[in-house]
Amino acid sequence: MPELPEVETVCRRLRPFVSGKTIETVDVLDAKIIRGHEPEQFVAHLLGETIIDVERRGKFILFKLTHGYLVSHLRMEGKFFPHDERVNPVKHSHVIFSFTDGSTLHYNDVRKFGTMELKTNEELFVTPPLSLLALEPFDPNVTAEALHKRLSRMNVRAIKTALLDQSIFVGLGNIYVDETLFRAGIHPTRPAASLSTVEVEAVRQEAIAVLTEAIERGGSTIRSYTNPDGATGTFQETLYVYGQTGNPCRKCGRPIEKMKLGGRGTHYCPHCQQ
Ligand SMILES: [Zn+2]
């Protein structure tokens, strides 16, 4: 599943391709992807709309249109494939946008868990799904004090589980939580409420650093996930703990261990994270 850095990478690759293009036709080959409207209404609204920009909020891709937004979530396997010409639907093309300049954008989704939904400017941030999102670690309104207060109410919950819960931070998935906690030197099973303000600040800063580095490296290419044009991210080459089970820790040389925590594979160094 793509995480925040991979979705940001998708947005950065789509932005120069679609910005300024006007939608001529939309073919919805699988109505399951379309939420909130009937597919006919969805198509009717999009015809003649120009894509002004591509933005991101959490793991949602926001296509800013002349009127309102097209909000898309890739979920497990959703991918956008830009083409400079008309291309016949290939296997798993579920939505096809054709632009007035003759180029096309195909949305493919093998698992069909991804979504597309139209929102007006007024609805965008005050209705689900975006109204439900917490702040990103990058947001200047996220302070160590505010985070500490929220984590301190979580009693016995492990810090790893608390960070994966998107109500604290949005956009920190399994890979990036493991890397953040390693860099902050905090054991994943530590009760969230036991972290000091200083430790919470370390977590916040390392989360920003991990996500920023991952975005700069085009995200992580792991398992089946690749970027829309098939390009691969390289952040996985810099991982300290995720997927490194049994390898020597790059800080202390002792083997990285793996355990299950809240149902998720959790990677850590028992020496560096106490
Ligand atoms: Zn270590």
Side-chain angles (χ1 to χ4, degrees), residues 189-265:
T189 60
R190 277 272 302 277
S194 75
L195 269 67
S196 68
T197 313
V198 172
E199 287 173 318
V200 172
E201 176 61 9
V203 168
R204 189 185 74 86
Q205 286 186 8
E206 295 301 342
I208 292 172
V210 164
L211 291 174
T212 303
E213 286 171 36
I215 289 168
E216 281 166 2
R217 286 177 156 266
S220 304
T221 303
I222 47 161
R223 296 198 202 100
S224 63
Y225 188 75
T226 53
N227 285 316
D229 54 4
T232 50
T234 61
F235 188 69
Q236 71 278 7
E237 294 163 10
T238 72
L239 297 173
Y240 283 96
V241 288
Y242 187 88
Q244 305 299 317
T245 313
N247 292 345
C249 169
R250 280 158 50 198
K251 278 192 190 159
C252 74
R254 294 175 176 84
I256 300 298
E257 293 187 10
K258 183 180 180 181
M259 65 165 142
K260 278 267 185 201
L261 184 57
R264 303 299 297 270

Side-chain angles (χ1 to χ4, degrees), residues 111-256:
R111 308 275 291 269
K112 296 193 221 174
F113 291 142
T115 60
M116 290 189 195
E117 186 168 1
L118 292 171
K119 291 285 182 187
T120 64
N121 293 341
E122 293 72 30
E123 290 170 333
L124 185 65
F125 290 114
V126 296
T127 59
L130 297 190
S131 63
L132 305 174
L133 290 185
L135 295 174
E136 298 186 2
F138 305 110
D139 195 295
N141 294 317
V142 175
T143 63
E145 290 70 29
L147 284 175
H148 184 253
K149 207 167 163 186
R150 298 191 65 174
L151 289 168
S152 65
R153 288 194 216 110
M154 297 189 131
N155 297 324
V156 292
R157 254 180 124 187
I159 181 63
K160 156 114 192 210
T161 313
L163 290 177
L164 274 182
D165 173 347
Q166 302 290 303
S167 68
I168 297 289
F169 275 156
V170 65
L172 217 54
N174 205 36
I175 303 172
Y176 300 111
V177 169
D178 283 2
E179 292 299 306
T180 295
L181 289 175
F182 173 80
R183 295 194 195 195
I186 292 167
H187 198 280
T189 60
R190 277 272 302 277
S194 75
L195 269 67
S196 68
T197 313
V198 172
E199 287 173 318
V200 172
E201 176 61 9
V203 168
R204 189 185 74 86
Q205 286 186 8
E206 295 301 342
I208 292 172
V210 164
L211 291 174
T212 303
E213 286 171 36
I215 289 168
E216 281 166 2
R217 286 177 156 266
S220 304
T221 303
I222 47 161
R223 296 198 202 100
S224 63
Y225 188 75
T226 53
N227 285 316
D229 54 4
T232 50
T234 61
F235 188 69
Q236 71 278 7
E237 294 163 10
T238 72
L239 297 173
Y240 283 96
V241 288
Y242 187 88
Q244 305 299 317
T245 313
N247 292 345
C249 169
R250 280 158 50 198
K251 278 192 190 159
C252 74
R254 294 175 176 84
I256 300 298

